[in-house]
Structure formats: structure tokens, C-alpha cells
Amino acid sequence: MELRKGIMATQESRKVTTQRLLEMKARGEPIACLTAYDYLTASILDAAGIDLVLVGDSAGNVFAGYDTTIPMTVEQMLYHTQVVARGVKRALVVADLPFMSYQVSEEEALRNAGRFVKEALAEAVKLEGGEYICPTIRRIVNAGIPVMGHLGLTPQSIHKFGTYKARGATPEEAERILADAKALEHAGVFAIVLEKIPAELARRVTESLSIPTIGIGAGPACDGQVLVTPDMLGLFTKFRPRFVRRYADLGAQMAEAFAKYRADVKARTFPSEEESY
Ligand code: KIV
């Protein structure tokens, strides 16, 4: 038992790589992923044993206050990735390639992906799209940069969809997502995010691939789960999709702390003698 515990501790503390994620799928160990945009959050997530930290372009919504992820730029995402990577020792750090940083040409996509690995110390990049983006994925993977795919509700295409409702609800769209997932695996991605698709479709996709699927609003059959951290902490409360489980109510706690501090300053009870020099 002691030896087993030792082995488990070593596995738990080992650096997460794309290879380890494949091994986790093979042995049926769920992969826990969350997003981060800053050093502090990233170091807390990492210390908590989160396997994959995604520097998501959801930063556009929950950090920058935009309505969509679309305005995020390469420079902004590079900065978020740099500060997150500095806070992470064990987890795999994956950076989102922002909208229009990989769609114009394969060369531009490769150059931008390279910047995330070289300048921001990301260990992989994520991009959205199915079969049509596979030549770009091959180009990036061939250069030695691991790529994560993203299917289902792909927020960078929100203006094309016109709605945030679940994808893959019709048989045609479900077959398209299944075919896209197989094409992505064939192109060399190491994992695929499945966002807001029916649980049964996510199960079919997961069972048809040897690489892990990471679900967000895609049911329990995925090989791993991801949530947007400020959503699950109750910090971002503008809207709450039904797949978000709230693990804390930090927004309310912060508001209470700020109000208490304000009251203390107004009442001149802060700082006290002990807090002064
Ligand atoms: O940008 C992001 O945070 C994401 C997750 C929703 C998977 O892509």
C-alpha cells in the first residue's frame, strides 16, 4: 500500500505533457482542465493539481469585458500566456490562438503559433475548426508545436452561428462534428475540446478517438472537463450557461471585502496602530 501510494504521488507530481494526457485517456483517468489569464490564478490552479491550464481567449469576455472572444489580439494573448506560464510548474500550458491569427495562411498560423511557444513559453496551442483547418494544423504540428482542436460551439465563429445554442443537435451536424473530430485526430492534434454539444454525441466522438476529448457543456463521457475559471468561481456573473457548476462565490466575497474596507477607511478605523510605523 505504501509503495502504491509512493507511485501515485510520483505520477501526481510528474510534469504533464501531451504524452501523459494520452496515457491518462488510455487508463481512464479523467483530465481536469481550467482556464487562467494571470500569474496568481495560474499558480493556485497548478498547486491544486489541475492537469491542463488553458490560456483561453475567453479572456476577451471574462478579463477584458468584451461581448465575444473576437477582439483578442496576438499581443494580448501572448501577454496572458507569458504571465500564466510563469505561474505553472506541473500542468500543461495551452494557449488559444486568437481569431484571425491562423485563418489567413498556413505561414501566418505557423509564425503566430511559434511566437506563443518561443516568446510566451506555451507548451501547445489551441485553434478552432474542423476538416478545413487540418492543413494548417499539420503545418504547425510538423514544426514541433502540439495543437489542440476545438469543435462544437466555436466562439470565434459566433457571428456565423448567430446564437450560443448547443451545436450538433441535428443528425447532419452531429455527423459533421464526428467527421471533423476524426480529421483533426488524423491531422495530429493531441486532444480536442468539445463545447456545448449533446452528451450522446460527445460520447460517440470520445469512443471513436484515441486522443482525449475535453468537454465543456458536453456531458460526462468526455475524457476530461474544462470550465472558464471566473465562471466556476462565481466571479463572472453576467450570464451563466447551465453547464457551469459554481464551486465558490468569490464575486460576493470580494464585494463584501471591498465594502468593509471602504467603511473602515471612511470611519478612520484603518489603519490601526499595529498597521502603522
Ligand atoms: O477560450 C476558452 O476559455 C475556451 C474554453 C471555453 C474551452 O476555449
Side-chain angles (χ1 to χ4, degrees), residues 33-37 54-62 69 77 96 126 128 148-150 153-156 193-195 214-216 226-229 231 243:
C33 318
L34 283 171
T35 65
Y37 320 100
L54 173 66
V55 189
D57 60 358
S58 50
N61 305 104
V62 298
T69 60
M77 288 302 297
D96 255 342
K126 174 165 85 57
E128 298 180 5
M148 189 176 197
H150 188 154
L153 179 68
T154 45
Q156 292 178 8
V193 167
L194 297 176
E195 180 163 354
I214 308 295
I216 174 162
V226 63
L227 282 175
V228 170
T229 298
D231 287 345
F243 59 75

Side-chain angles (χ1 to χ4, degrees), residues 1 25 51-52 113 119 128 144-145 147 184 201 220 223 244 249 258-259:
M1 186 60 190
K25 171 163 180 138
D51 300 307
L52 184 156
E119 296 173 33
E128 298 180 5
I145 302 170
V147 176
L184 289 183
L201 173 59
D223 299 301
V244 173
D249 196 6
F258 297 150

Side-chain angles (χ1 to χ4, degrees), residues 6 11 13-14 21-23 26 36 38 66 90 95 116 139 184 193 196 204 216 244 246-247 256 258:
Q11 279 190 352
S13 52
R14 252 169 55 195
L21 297 181
L22 287 167
E23 291 164 11
D38 66 278
Y66 294 120
R90 175 186 169 272
F116 278 87
R139 195 71 192 270
L184 289 183
V193 167
K196 220 172 175 188
R204 282 177 67 203
I216 174 162
V244 173
R246 284 254 170 91
Y247 286 84
E256 199 183 315
F258 297 150

Side-chain angles (χ1 to χ4, degrees), residues 38-85:
D38 66 278
Y39 167 83
L40 270 183
T41 310
S43 37
I44 297 169
L45 294 183
D46 194 48
I50 296 302
D51 300 307
L52 184 156
V53 175
L54 173 66
V55 189
D57 60 358
S58 50
N61 305 104
V62 298
F63 185 92
Y66 294 120
D67 286 335
T68 72
T69 60
I70 288 169
M72 292 306 285
T73 66
V74 168
E75 300 306 323
Q76 288 165 342
M77 288 302 297
L78 279 172
Y79 178 70
H80 284 296
T81 308
Q82 281 161 358
V83 297
V84 165

Side-chain angles (χ1 to χ4, degrees), residues 155-169:
Q156 292 178 8
S157 303
I158 191 59
H159 296 317
K160 187 174 91 179
F161 295 144
T163 157
Y164 279 100
K165 78 175 199 290
R167 313 300 307 176

Side-chain angles (χ1 to χ4, degrees), residues 65-129:
Y66 294 120
D67 286 335
T68 72
T69 60
I70 288 169
M72 292 306 285
T73 66
V74 168
E75 300 306 323
Q76 288 165 342
M77 288 302 297
L78 279 172
Y79 178 70
H80 284 296
T81 308
Q82 281 161 358
V83 297
V84 165
R86 228 171 277 148
V88 174
K89 291 190 178 71
R90 175 186 169 272
L92 185 77
V93 177
V94 181
D96 255 342
L97 292 183
F99 183 57
M100 291 316 284
S101 69
Y102 59 93
Q103 291 92 340
V104 175
S105 71
E106 290 170 30
E107 279 70 25
E108 204 169 293
L110 177 56
R111 195 167 295 116
N112 282 323
R115 288 193 70 192
F116 278 87
V117 175
K118 228 172 133 75
E119 296 173 33
L121 307 186
E123 294 160 320
V125 295
K126 174 165 85 57
L127 48 80
E128 298 180 5

